[in-house]
Amino acid sequence: MRAGASDSLEKLSSRATKIDRIHKSLEASGRLSHSTCPSRADTAADGIVLSIPGEHEGRRVIVLVGQRRAKLTPRVLEVLLLLIKGHLSGSLVHKIDLGAKNERGYRMPSVLREQLGKAYDGNVGDLMKNDRHGSYGLGERVKLGHVDTAALGRLGNRRLARIAREIQSILEELAASAGNS
């Protein structure tokens, strides 16, 4: 109660009674729906903001979906960076270009969607799209936030550093063309 609690739940006899008390407390505080939760920032009306601040925990790199963190392995991050590169260029990326060895099934886009989905409350299908012919891209609602390409280049992974440089080059070209318009 000292920390600001408005009520306490003693050991109640039935599950239904507990649920009813919790719902009444949430309603009284104006938090009955998730619409006011801070994590809903990742589903802003203008899109799902995807950012890569360049932070890492061990070998996993932090990716933000809105304000929530997903931790990606270097291989999964490589797929994401290639999809970002395609997104900036306005094209889908074929699975062979993502690293698939043949035309048969390729799981990395599904693994990426799964890992990003841990940080996203909405429909994970909104995060990525595919043409059902082996090409993938970021979803229509995905908006690119800050991507720290310099920090990605310092991770010690040559492939990630190369893709980060390519993304930086595209970003610079887009900024230059926007400045000329």
Side-chain angles (χ1 to χ4, degrees):
M1 296 299 264
R2 278 184 249 137
S6 60
D7 199 358
S8 63
L9 289 175
E10 54 281 336
K11 194 170 186 175
L12 300 172
S13 59
S14 75
R15 184 174 192 270
T17 305
K18 290 177 199 173
I19 291 171
D20 185 53
R21 290 264 313 265
I22 290 170
H23 279 239
K24 284 180 182 176
S25 294
L26 288 171
E27 187 173 16
S29 68
R31 296 181 296 168
L32 191 55
S33 87
H34 286 288
S35 63
T36 59
C37 292
S39 66
R40 302 311 274 179
D42 57 8
T43 58
D46 58 340
I48 304 161
V49 180
L50 191 65
S51 305
I52 307 175
E55 303 168 16
H56 61 90
E57 290 183 15
R59 291 185 41 93
R60 293 182 181 257
V61 176
I62 305 301
V63 172
L64 299 176
V65 181
Q67 302 298 315
R68 297 182 65 191
R69 298 161 54 106
K71 299 173 188 174
L72 305 186
T73 62
R75 181 65 188 107
V76 174
L77 177 62
E78 181 180 344
V79 171
L80 176 60
L81 292 176
L82 290 168
L83 292 178
I84 288 172
K85 184 179 159 190
H87 182 76
L88 291 171
S89 301
S91 62
L92 296 177
V93 183
H94 194 269
K95 65 184 177 181
I96 298 296
D97 297 322
L98 292 174
K101 300 295 182 212
N102 57 41
E103 285 295 320
R104 294 179 58 185
Y106 183 57
R107 289 235 348 110
M108 290 310 291
S110 297
V111 173
L112 171 61
R113 183 181 295 117
E114 179 182 299
Q115 289 186 13
L116 289 176
K118 292 177 183 175
Y120 181 60
D121 288 333
N123 178 359
V124 294
D126 291 341
L127 298 172
M128 293 173 54
K129 61 184 175 183
N130 73 63
D131 66 357
R132 304 283 183 220
H133 296 287
S135 293
Y136 297 86
L138 295 179
E140 300 296 330
R141 295 187 53 229
V142 173
K143 306 294 181 202
L144 201 55
H146 176 68
V147 177
D148 191 337
T149 55
L152 291 172
R154 292 189 298 268
L155 290 175
N157 182 310
R158 288 186 193 143
R159 286 193 310 229
L160 294 179
R162 177 185 50 79
I163 300 166
R165 284 191 304 273
E166 292 169 356
I167 289 171
Q168 184 60 41
S169 177
I170 294 169
L171 289 170
E172 289 169 359
E173 288 174 19
L174 290 172
S177 68
N180 293 334
S181 335

